[in-house]
Amino acid sequence: MPEMPEVETIRRTLQDKVVGKTIKKVEVLLSRLIKWPSAPEFQAIITGKKITQLERRGKYLLFYLEDSLVLVVHLRMTGRLYYAAQASVNIKSLHIKFIFTDEDALLYADTRTLGTLYAMKESELWRISGLAGLGPEPLSAEFTVEYLRKITATRQGKIKALLLNQKFIGGLGNIYVDESLALAGIHPERSAGSLSEQEVAKLHQAINEVIAQGIQDGGTSFRDYVDGEGKSGTHQQRLRVYGRKNQPCFSCGAKIEWKEVGGRGTHYCPHCQH
DNA sequence: CTTCACGCCTGTCAGC
DNA sequence: TGCTGACAGGCGTGAA
């Protein structure tokens, strides 16, 4: 479900609440979500540890703990993290509870149960290949026009598929890719290598703009997404193409089209995007 | 190496 | 009112 702006919003809404808290107890109701180590070991190594820092890389959340330990959470499609004062709340699809010494809790819920959690020493983070191999993020110093030109130039696959690949750019997902391509006026099925220098520059600018606006809006609440306090984002009000199949393009009035590109539902304006 | 199809899960919604 | 199929903010795997 969440992409970089949503995960960043969750990080910001949780940070002040969880940093400094000590995990008193971990209840794992669905152990297959724990990918490393085993669920009992996972519980054992983080129990009694204090959270010192909360960071994000791409779509991963990293809870840094005492003793150089890290709790890593990836929400995938429908994962949610809620901070609950005085634990006993009733929420659907609740799978993991992190209960603090003051009885507040951090709750992990996930309808499709595709999310993944890990706990390990900081020095062991290489075990999470998706995290270790993450490309530069939008808005970062490493994500330059030059970099985007370099990764697109030699590849013949569709530009949309490349933008979704976390090895190349960390943090983009289906909504923000469709929105970036719409803003840049580039058709999602264009071969990456066919983009002109001008188009690459426009795309680079569009990605940064869309992601920055997404963060400023507190994310896009299209169906499931809420932040760490259970609140919706507002970026859905700004979407140009995503979720607007058959509705008129705001620029030209043509009907927004939908088709599958690279195995993902894709929205675009057939008139404005070439 | 790059690219693509598929599997993983469950809930919701459109169309019959 | 059921029922069925399509689809959903993601990513890892394996085959070509």
Side-chain angles (χ1 to χ4, degrees):
Chain A
M1 122 178 103
E3 307 178 33
M4 178 180 155
E6 288 73 35
V7 180
E8 176 59 19
T9 303
I10 291 168
R11 190 194 68 79
R12 291 181 184 181
T13 53
L14 286 179
Q15 180 164 242
D16 288 350
K17 299 188 189 326
V18 303
V19 170
K21 302 267 174 161
T22 299
I23 299 168
K24 184 176 80 177
K25 192 178 175 198
V26 182
E27 290 180 21
V28 178
L29 308 169
L30 185 61
S31 59
R32 64 176 154 80
L33 302 184
I34 312 297
K35 301 301 174 184
W36 185 272
S38 67
E41 290 174 289
F42 173 90
Q43 286 171 299
I45 67 174
I46 65 175
T47 298
K49 299 295 189 297
K50 186 196 281 186
I51 300 173
T52 57
Q53 229 184 122
L54 177 53
E55 299 199 346
R56 179 193 55 75
R57 282 194 236 161
K59 302 173 196 172
Y60 290 85
L61 274 173
L62 292 86
F63 295 79
Y64 283 85
L65 310 175
E66 292 171 305
D67 301 337
S68 304
L69 290 163
V70 198
L71 162 64
V72 181
V73 180
H74 195 301
L75 305 166
R76 294 284 189 107
M77 295 291 262
T78 52
R80 282 157 291 155
L81 278 170
Y82 299 99
Y83 187 84
Q86 308 299 310
S88 62
V89 275
N90 199 14
I91 58 171
K92 280 192 285 183
S93 308
L94 178 60
H95 300 127
I96 299 167
K97 288 192 198 182
F98 302 92
I99 301 163
F100 302 120
T101 47
D102 64 359
E103 300 301 325
D104 281 5
L106 181 65
L107 308 176
Y108 180 82
D110 191 344
T111 41
R112 288 175 69 183
T113 68
L114 296 170
T116 52
L117 294 92
Y118 314 76
M120 58 189 66
K121 288 277 186 186
E122 201 179 337
S123 58
E124 299 277 298
L125 284 175
W126 56 265
R127 291 182 183 284
I128 309 174
S129 60
L131 177 61
L134 216 50
E137 298 189 4
L139 305 175
S140 72
E142 302 79 53
F143 182 61
T144 60
V145 183
E146 281 309 295
Y147 174 76
L148 188 58
R149 192 167 58 79
K150 195 187 81 196
I151 60 170
T152 52
T154 57
R155 278 163 243 269
Q156 298 316 301
K158 291 170 179 140
I159 185 63
K160 166 145 183 177
L162 181 143
L163 297 178
L164 283 172
N165 189 331
Q166 305 296 296
K167 279 191 305 196
F168 296 127
I169 304 173
L172 289 181
N174 207 31
I175 293 182
Y176 294 99
V177 164
D178 278 6
E179 292 298 303
S180 299
L181 289 168
L183 182 57
I186 297 167
H187 195 286
E189 289 180 296
R190 279 277 295 284
S191 156
S194 77
L195 267 58
S196 69
E197 284 205 23
Q198 222 172 24
E199 286 175 317
V200 171
K202 212 169 168 186
L203 180 57
H204 176 264
Q205 163 67 22
I207 289 168
N208 279 339
E209 195 174 321
V210 163
I211 290 295
Q213 188 66 60
I215 293 172
Q216 202 179 309
D217 291 340
T220 305
S221 291
F222 203 74
R223 50 167 58 77
D224 300 306
Y225 166 74
V226 288
D227 67 20
E229 296 171 326
K231 288 195 264 206
S232 295
T234 61
H235 194 72
Q236 60 279 9
Q237 297 165 14
R238 256 187 250 274
L239 298 176
R240 293 173 170 83
V241 290
Y242 188 88
R244 298 194 63 247
K245 182 182 177 181
N246 290 334
Q247 293 177 48
C249 169
F250 294 127
S251 302
C252 75
K255 275 189 181 180
I256 300 302
E257 288 185 4
W258 184 97
K259 73 187 293 191
E260 199 169 295
V261 178
R264 307 297 300 275
T266 300
H267 310 256
Y268 63 99
C269 172
H271 182 254
C272 298
Q273 295 177 247
H274 303 283

